[in-house]
Amino acid sequence: MYEKLELLINGQFRQGSEGKSEPVYNPATGEVLGALPHASKADLDEALAASEKAYKIWRGQTALSRQKVLEKACRILEDRFDEVAENLTKEMGKPLAESKLELGVAIDVIRWYGEEGKRIYGRTVLPRMAGIAQTVRKDPVGPVIAFVAWNFPALNVVRKVAGALAAGCSVIIKPSEETPGTAIAIARALVEAGVPDGAVNMVFGVPAEVSEHLCSSPIPRKLSFTGSVPVGIHLQKLAAENMIKCTMELGGHSPVMVFEDGDIEKAAKIAAAGKYRNAGQVCVSPTRFFVQKSVHGKFVDAFVSEVDNLNIGDGMDDGVTMGPLIADRRIDVMDGLVQDAVAQGANLLRGGSRLNRPGSFYAPTVLDNVSDDARIMNDEPFGPVAPIDSFASVDEVIARANRLPFGLAAYAFTEDPALIARLKEDVETGLLAVNSTVVSVPETPFGGIKHSGYGSEGGIEGLEAFLTTRFVSETY
Ligand code: NAD
């Protein structure tokens, strides 16, 4: 059964006070899964007041007791694993195997943050004179507000909520209205595990209205966002009015640099698996493919044969390896990007159109000889379209990789240690993977530079984002 859709305010799961709601759809079938309540301004005010009150209670608990609550939430989610993963696929569309992987990592993230919360350290600084003690403290930053996108309905939520809770903060989160069921299942596990009333609040509504209302309150001290660059810039402006500290986890346009010395077939296999994971709807998805001239043809042939092996369908069906896009609006974006690239001389090797079946399906698409002038080489595609081009020299490919304002992830395939050393220095990216597309595990920092945002999630840096540094000087 799909999750019962409710708000969570001050420890109560309930409907919105004005009775407004919106339908939630299964993007693979178009079926309505449920009606999602919207929070009214009065509901948001209640959540703000509850988060302020709960913050004082939660930060007063020991790190060990907070860890026990987070651990219990992990066990509750593990008990409900199959049901939550199935609902994730129903509302988001990704294949069930990917949903299970995501949920497993999400539980790992909660567990990791819970444990790491026990290792928040300050320090003592030696004084310049006798009779003085100087202490640097790391304290929870305060009540947190968070807004997250739909592409990782479990992971995007726990990266904010578990980090905030482990640091001793309360949180109001607005997950995506398109994928609320997974988020609500996580909220239920946390409430059942014993978070105090108001320490976690979950609201839904018209995104711009909710964020504007929450940012105009003096209560939040931290805003954390996962989504697109324009929305991130807008939210930073709102946050600035109340001096709310931000973490921005925004979009990217990740270059893939394939050099002639490497195993080209292996590179094509790994790059295609990374590209079509979650139908390309991943912020670190490989999105601009640059292949050294001498191996360009070999790479393209191998890449296309990987695409021919994809099995497109409803993520609930056995053997499906790529599901639909989140909604029809993304199909229009894909069509526009593909048509523009072809008009500018690109060769369409596979796909390029919507699939003729119910749901928001777009064919996995491969474009070759795509010039940097094409829109797809400049705008983040966020879908199953791979634009490929060749390059002649290392200098050229590094310049093209760095050409855009984004700086989230970059990938390189080579065995040459000197070249790898150069890429580590010169590629402007927050995350670099060599000979793989793996850039995210719970214990490592995840985040971009340039317009892809700032601040990290995961690793000790992810916990630091929910802390504030204070100094105390004592004279005896
Ligand atoms: P979008 O920017 O309209 O929405 C992205 C998310 O931000 C949604 O979940 C939405 O609820 C939320 N949002 C939008 N406006 C908001 C506001 N004013 N206040 C608070 N939250 C708000 O884009 P979309 O069409 O849903 O998705 C496509 C784009 O989103 C892509 O171009 C991609 O860059 C970006 N995206 C990035 C990530 C990421 O992990 N960095 C994830 C999903 C989407």
Side-chain angles (χ1 to χ4, degrees):
M1 244 191 35
Y2 186 60
E3 191 72 38
K4 185 173 181 198
L5 300 178
E6 294 176 305
L7 309 170
L8 169 60
I9 296 175
N10 197 17
Q12 304 299 311
F13 285 94
R14 62 166 176 83
Q15 298 299 303
S17 61
E18 287 177 0
K20 287 190 187 154
S21 68
E22 69 178 290
V24 176
Y25 297 97
N26 179 335
T29 61
E31 169 206 2
V32 173
L33 294 168
L36 178 69
H38 279 195
S40 65
K41 285 190 175 160
D43 296 330
L44 296 177
D45 287 339
E46 206 181 313
L48 284 162
S51 79
E52 187 177 35
K53 191 165 161 224
Y55 169 59
K56 296 189 181 113
I57 297 165
W58 185 241
R59 71 169 289 176
Q61 293 197 7
T62 63
L64 185 64
S65 70
R66 290 197 289 258
Q67 181 267 327
K68 283 185 176 156
V69 170
L70 290 172
E71 175 58 31
K72 194 166 172 198
C74 291
R75 299 213 174 139
I76 293 169
L77 284 170
E78 280 162 350
D79 286 346
R80 299 178 189 160
F81 193 86
D82 287 344
E83 181 192 332
V84 178
E86 282 171 19
N87 283 337
L88 197 163
T89 286
K90 283 182 197 155
E91 64 186 9
M92 202 270 133
K94 65 179 65 174
L96 187 56
E98 281 188 37
S99 294
K100 288 185 174 176
L101 199 64
E102 179 186 340
L103 187 59
V105 175
I107 293 170
D108 225 4
V109 166
I110 301 174
R111 190 165 271 136
W112 191 85
Y113 268 126
E115 281 297 328
E116 199 60 21
K118 294 192 280 189
R119 289 179 280 277
I120 296 172
Y121 306 123
R123 73 183 196 279
T124 299
V125 180
L126 293 181
R128 290 180 169 213
M129 279 176 277
I132 295 176
Q134 303 187 122
T135 316
V136 179
R137 297 171 53 98
K138 292 286 178 182
D139 290 308
V141 66
V144 174
I145 50 176
F147 309 95
V148 295
W150 41 264
N151 59 336
F152 286 92
L155 204 48
N156 287 347
V157 168
V158 301
R159 276 182 170 156
K160 317 282 186 206
V161 172
L165 290 175
C169 300
S170 58
V171 57
I172 302 174
I173 185 161
K174 190 199 79 56
S176 167
E177 285 67 28
E178 287 171 313
T179 56
T182 309
I184 294 168
I186 292 166
R188 287 192 203 286
L190 288 163
V191 167
E192 285 170 41
V195 292
D197 289 353
V200 177
N201 301 276
M202 192 166 278
V203 296
F204 300 95
V206 176
E209 292 174 11
V210 175
S211 56
E212 197 169 332
H213 194 78
L214 295 180
C215 287
S216 69
S217 160
I219 292 170
R221 298 282 18 107
K222 167 88 193 180
L223 183 159
S224 189
F225 174 63
T226 298
S228 65
V229 175
V231 174
I233 290 171
H234 167 72
L235 290 176
Q236 280 181 95
K237 289 180 184 163
L238 292 181
E241 290 294 324
N242 269 315
M243 202 57 77
I244 301 172
K245 179 173 159 180
C246 293
T247 289
M248 289 286 151
E249 179 56 55
L250 309 179
H253 206 334
S254 309
V256 182
M257 296 164 275
V258 181
F259 295 92
E260 61 192 5
D261 70 284
D263 180 335
I264 302 305
E265 275 164 11
K266 195 169 158 198
K269 200 178 177 68
I270 293 170
K275 170 72 248 177
Y276 297 101
R277 177 168 78 108
N278 204 6
Q281 302 167 113
V282 181
C283 55
V284 293
S285 182
T287 42
R288 295 181 290 148
F289 293 79
F290 302 115
V291 186
Q292 201 152 12
K293 272 201 168 76
S294 57
V295 292
H296 175 222
K298 189 174 175 186
F299 177 86
V300 170
D301 289 349
F303 192 91
V304 164
S305 92
E306 292 299 320
V307 171
D308 291 341
N309 286 332
L310 289 170
N311 184 5
I312 325 296
D314 186 329
M316 294 298 287
D317 293 342
D318 281 348
V320 163
T321 50
M322 195 186 104
L325 301 189
I326 187 68
D328 276 6
R329 68 172 183 286
R330 301 298 309 159
I331 290 194
D332 299 338
V333 175
M334 295 308 113
D335 267 341
L337 292 173
V338 171
Q339 283 158 21
D340 169 79
V342 170
Q344 301 214 41
N347 302 331
L348 179 63
L349 300 183
R350 289 291 184 280
S353 60
R354 174 180 203 138
L355 294 182
N356 185 17
R357 55 175 290 164
S360 305
F361 287 90
Y362 199 80
T365 299
V366 184
L367 292 158
D368 195 16
N369 298 320
V370 186
S371 93
D372 282 354
D373 294 332
R375 250 192 327 116
I376 194 163
M377 284 298 201
N378 296 278
D379 298 354
E380 181 185 24
F382 225 70
V385 182
I388 305 176
D389 199 19
S390 59
F391 69 87
S393 70
V394 173
D395 285 346
E396 178 198 328
V397 78
I398 291 176
R400 289 173 79 182
N402 292 343
R403 190 177 66 81
L404 298 182
F406 302 104
L408 185 53
Y411 305 100
F413 290 90
T414 174
E415 304 291 336
D416 178 350
L419 179 54
I420 294 170
R422 164 105 198 260
L423 298 173
K424 284 197 274 190
E425 285 296 323
D426 290 348
V427 180
E428 295 166 3
T429 180
L431 309 159
L432 174 68
V434 180
N435 298 323
S436 88
T437 54
V438 180
V439 286
S440 170
V441 288
E443 55 275 17
T444 57
F446 179 89
I449 59 172
K450 296 163 76 177
H451 281 206
S452 294
Y454 54 83
S456 298
E457 303 198 298
I460 51 175
E461 293 81 0
L463 195 61
E464 181 76 32
F466 295 104
L467 298 171
T468 194
T469 303
R470 294 164 67 225
F471 170 65
V472 179
S473 169
E474 298 164 67
T475 303
Y476 298 101

